[in-house]
Amino acid sequence: MIIDSHQHFWKYEPVKHDWIDDAMSVIRKDFMPSDLQKVYAENGIDGCVAVQADQTLEETDFLLDLADKNDFIKGIVGWVDLRAENIEEVLKEYSKYPKLKGFRHVVQGEPDHNFLLRPDFLRGIAALEKYDFTYDILVFPHQLGAVLELVKKFPNQKFVIDHIAKPYIKDGFYDGWAALMFEIGKCENVYCKLSGMVTEADYTTWTPEQITPYMKLVFVAFGWKKIMFGSDWPVCLVAGNYKKIKELVTEFIAQLSSTEQASIMGENATIFYNIK
């Protein structure tokens, strides 16, 4: 199966989705399963993991409802407040839903560089393993120091870095991001999504050659068994169509063996998210 490990759904609301600025106006509308199904039929994708875009329990329930009605949604990554006093209770309740695979917090939006290491957040992360929930790490490069400490504290917790940690491709920054990603990649419990890369470059002028060094580093750091393809649809549409986004990855891995390619394009996501 070819699995898109990272995409979103939403019913567009200007206040809720205020992160969609004028430069991204093309995605200021609803994106629902019926829209994505057409895209997947055209691009040979068998299923996906839907990831939260809003930090509410309503968002998690919205995604669960969509997954319940659409077989091609193989798993969801929802949101809960991992800092909540009753986090054990909340996770126990959500563990009843087999398609709910894990959680994510929009850490990139937190002003505290060390948000991930605060005691209340760590308590929430510590509770995930008991219910076999994964955790998606959404950060900017300046937060990778905290990521390294976090993943080392919980060697048995499954983590995945979203969007290769959003390096500043447009500015050509590389070395600081690369050094920390290399260290994080040594941790066996941490995977990485080849997703969200084109939107860290210039939306209109990016080229595969510009993004290749970043993908190469991810391969060296994580290895083919811990890398998964993700489109970041519909956010990716601000910088290209689905076919172009998929080809960025498939052409980069074209020289690998068929086993390695199959792993990156679906099997690794199936293993990580325990997709049935």
Side-chain angles (χ1 to χ4, degrees), residues 190-202:
V190 190
Y191 285 58
C192 186
K193 291 182 183 179
L194 282 181
S195 61
M197 298 175 290
V198 295
T199 43
E200 297 311 310
D202 186 288

Side-chain angles (χ1 to χ4, degrees), residues 1-128:
M1 280 202 305
I2 295 183
I3 300 287
D4 181 344
S5 72
H6 199 105
Q7 57 75 218
H8 307 284
F9 296 114
W10 62 69
K11 290 181 178 172
Y12 178 69
E13 294 174 35
V15 176
K16 185 197 280 191
H17 301 108
D18 62 354
W19 56 271
I20 304 176
D21 61 24
D22 291 345
M24 305 169 85
S25 59
V26 68
I27 58 170
R28 281 179 170 160
K29 60 179 186 175
D30 296 357
F31 288 95
M32 297 294 283
S34 56
D35 305 305
L36 188 57
Q37 248 173 327
K38 292 172 200 157
V39 173
Y40 281 175
E42 289 161 12
N43 289 279
I45 307 289
D46 299 307
C48 66
V49 176
V51 181
Q52 62 82 223
D54 186 43
Q55 306 208 106
T56 60
L57 294 177
E58 288 76 19
E59 171 83 343
T60 306
D61 296 339
F62 164 69
L63 293 176
L64 276 171
D65 182 55
L66 294 183
D68 198 37
K69 293 171 180 167
N70 296 274
D71 281 347
F72 78 95
I73 304 172
K74 303 297 182 189
I76 73 160
V77 174
W79 181 87
V80 290
D81 187 354
L82 289 166
R83 299 164 295 176
E85 290 288 338
N86 67 333
I87 188 61
E88 279 270 0
E89 213 175 289
V90 174
L91 293 177
K92 187 178 180 184
E93 183 60 32
Y94 274 126
S95 69
K96 296 172 185 172
Y97 300 93
K99 278 195 176 180
L100 181 50
K101 304 303 183 181
F103 298 98
R104 182 176 85 153
H105 187 89
V106 184
V107 177
Q108 69 173 40
E110 295 291 344
D112 179 1
H113 292 196
N114 292 309
F115 175 88
L116 288 168
L117 300 175
R118 298 303 172 203
D120 54 354
F121 192 79
L122 291 175
R123 193 182 70 244
I125 292 288
L128 294 175

